[in-house]
Amino acid sequence: MINLNRGNNIDIIFISTRKDISLASYRIWVNDLAHYFNEIDIESKILSNIDEKNKNKISKTTIIIIAKTDVKDYLFYRKKYPNNVLGIINPPGQSKYDVDFIIVGSIEEKDSLSQNKNIFIFPLIENKFQNIDRKNYKVTQQERLTLGYHGSYTHLAKFSPNLSYAIEELSKECDISLKVIMDKASPKWKVGRPNINSIEIIEWSLKTFSDDILSCDIGLVPNISDNTPCLISKNDVRGLYKTDYFFRMKNKSNAGRMFVFIQHGIPVIADLTPSNMHILGQPKNGYAVFNKYGWLSALRELKDVKNREVVARNALNSFNDLYNPIVWAEDLLANMKDVLNEKYVK
């Protein structure tokens, strides 16, 4: 067994040919994670490949981690460095991979890849937003209530039918607007778009993102598709009830979009995606909902600016307790040490 009691016995090489800080998977699981490892005295570097200059520096305690965008090349590194511990980041699908460990961002992703061994979670914690100016509740509030969404256009369809209904009902009670922050190349929003007067589509940019999101009063995080109308069957023998929920979510579901609102001090209403419940399972931290009345009730409660401030503060406190990135990096390192020890015991 290798003596790994001292952390500096290990070094880590991240392989990423695409060093694009605007790409979340690179930003969080490569750039930021390498930074955290260096913070805890584990030499970590990011390379496009292992060239001749770096090849001689590969020892048996060098851990190689392949970025999500380069997972397709993992077999090359498996063959070239068969004696090293090899990990990959959040691979696609639900396949089996010939690696020593996999890094994912959520319990949903971990479960979907459970045919593999050694699946470790490192949540989608945005280091860029750890120490930022948060929502200022002391300034005079605008009469208009601004709802905010950010993320892929694919999630916009999840506004239908429940969240769209709630927003339309709320618009009858007060002046509201909806800000949608998404990639400029996204298709036009059609499915799930609520019928209200003010919807603003904003181009996502890492440079302007904090300012854009801080202009919102409430964060909306839809992810689940409601398939409940498909559930009812007169002759069903599976113990189903007309009151059951019946929904789908992708295997790559995670709480990353919710985290960003919380980090900016914005109160959140999110759906029942499992990863959301780590924070929203405590009701004082925000709202976990599914049906149209759940969304509407939460929106009505957050019309009150005092409620928004309290919920936002509670959620941020819980986030800081549960998602300290250094603690998660230390846990990930401990898991990788176990894999390394196991590899050399055999």
Side-chain angles (χ1 to χ4, degrees):
M1 180 178 293
I2 300 173
N3 181 5
L4 297 176
N5 292 327
R6 295 181 61 201
N8 58 12
N9 287 330
I10 292 177
D11 67 290
I12 298 171
I13 292 178
F14 289 88
I15 302 296
S16 180
T17 56
R18 185 178 175 185
K19 297 180 175 65
D20 183 357
I21 203 70
S22 69
L23 190 66
S25 65
Y26 174 79
R27 187 171 63 248
I28 296 172
W29 285 317
V30 178
N31 184 76
D32 291 352
L33 191 50
H35 166 74
Y36 302 140
F37 284 141
N38 283 311
E39 283 283 301
I40 57 178
D41 297 323
I42 301 298
E43 182 182 353
S44 302
K45 62 181 68 174
I46 304 168
L47 303 175
S48 296
N49 57 71
I50 301 177
D51 55 21
E52 290 301 317
K53 181 177 69 173
N54 291 291
K55 184 177 180 180
N56 295 330
K57 298 180 181 179
I58 303 293
S59 72
K60 63 182 179 180
T61 57
T62 297
I63 296 174
I64 301 171
I65 303 176
I66 311 297
K68 180 177 180 178
T69 50
D70 293 272
V71 165
K72 64 184 184 300
D73 300 324
Y74 85 92
L75 285 174
F76 168 82
Y77 290 94
R78 174 87 292 171
K79 183 177 180 179
K80 193 169 183 179
Y81 302 99
N83 296 321
N84 285 88
V85 167
L86 177 68
I88 56 176
I89 294 173
N90 204 7
Q94 296 176 300
S95 302
K96 188 171 178 62
Y97 294 88
D98 181 19
V99 294
D100 297 297
F101 67 89
I102 298 175
I103 297 173
V104 297
S106 68
I107 55 176
E108 297 91 324
E109 291 170 349
K110 179 177 180 177
D111 180 71
S112 73
L113 291 164
S114 56
Q115 65 271 49
N116 296 275
K117 60 183 180 181
N118 300 322
I119 307 168
F120 307 136
I121 296 175
F122 188 88
L124 283 84
I125 305 166
E126 291 275 12
N127 187 51
K128 179 179 175 64
F129 305 139
Q130 286 293 94
N131 298 293
I132 57 170
D133 292 332
R134 298 188 170 91
K135 185 77 173 181
N136 183 359
Y137 289 91
K138 304 303 179 185
V139 299
T140 303
Q141 298 296 309
Q142 300 294 323
E143 290 187 5
R144 170 172 281 188
L145 185 69
T146 301
L147 312 179
Y149 165 89
H150 74 93
S152 167
Y153 82 96
T154 57
H155 297 294
L156 291 174
K158 312 308 185 296
F159 274 65
S160 176
N162 300 329
L163 178 52
S164 294
Y165 167 86
I167 291 173
E168 290 168 359
E169 287 299 302
L170 187 71
S171 70
K172 300 173 185 177
E173 305 172 5
C174 62
D175 184 18
I176 67 172
S177 66
L178 173 62
K179 288 191 175 183
V180 175
I181 306 169
M182 64 181 182
D183 187 85
K184 64 179 180 180
S186 299
K188 187 175 181 180
W189 185 13
K190 296 179 180 179
V191 178
R193 185 183 177 108
N195 183 21
I196 59 174
N197 292 328
S198 179
I199 297 179
E200 182 181 3
I201 308 294
I202 301 173
E203 179 182 346
W204 185 93
S205 166
L206 197 58
K207 293 181 179 179
T208 62
F209 180 75
S210 283
D211 289 337
D212 291 334
I213 205 169
L214 284 170
S215 68
C216 302
D217 298 307
I218 301 171
L220 305 176
V221 189
N223 178 63
I224 289 173
S225 299
D226 184 4
N227 294 329
T228 304
C230 305
L231 179 68
I232 300 173
S233 172
K234 293 181 179 179
N235 300 314
D236 203 304
V237 295
R238 294 172 294 172
L240 305 184
Y241 298 88
K242 291 182 179 180
T243 51
D244 287 352
Y245 287 151
F246 183 38
F247 54 73
R248 54 75 53 196
M249 69 187 75
K250 63 179 182 178
N251 74 306
K252 294 295 184 184
S253 294
N254 59 69
R257 287 182 292 132
M258 180 181 74
F259 288 169
V260 172
F261 281 119
I262 292 173
Q263 287 179 285
H264 283 84
I266 309 294
V268 169
I269 310 173
D271 62 30
L272 297 176
T273 298
S275 286
N276 295 340
M277 304 309 297
H278 198 199
I279 286 181
L280 298 185
Q282 169 51 264
K284 70 178 183 179
N285 291 337
Y287 301 83
V289 300
F290 178 63
N291 72 54
K292 59 186 181 182
Y293 302 114
W295 284 103
L296 180 57
S297 175
L299 285 168
R300 283 171 171 164
E301 289 193 29
L302 289 177
K303 284 196 300 183
D304 186 329
V305 65
K306 293 181 180 179
N307 286 344
R308 296 202 296 273
E309 182 176 13
V310 170
V311 168
R313 183 173 62 249
N314 290 340
L316 183 60
N317 287 339
S318 290
F319 178 86
N320 289 336
D321 287 340
L322 295 170
Y323 293 101
N324 181 326
I326 296 296
V327 172
W328 282 89
E330 289 173 337
D331 288 344
L332 178 56
L333 175 64
N335 287 327
M336 291 192 299
K337 283 183 177 181
D338 289 341
V339 173
L340 188 57
N341 266 324
E342 182 181 359
K343 190 177 186 74
Y344 285 102
V345 164
K346 293 179 178 179

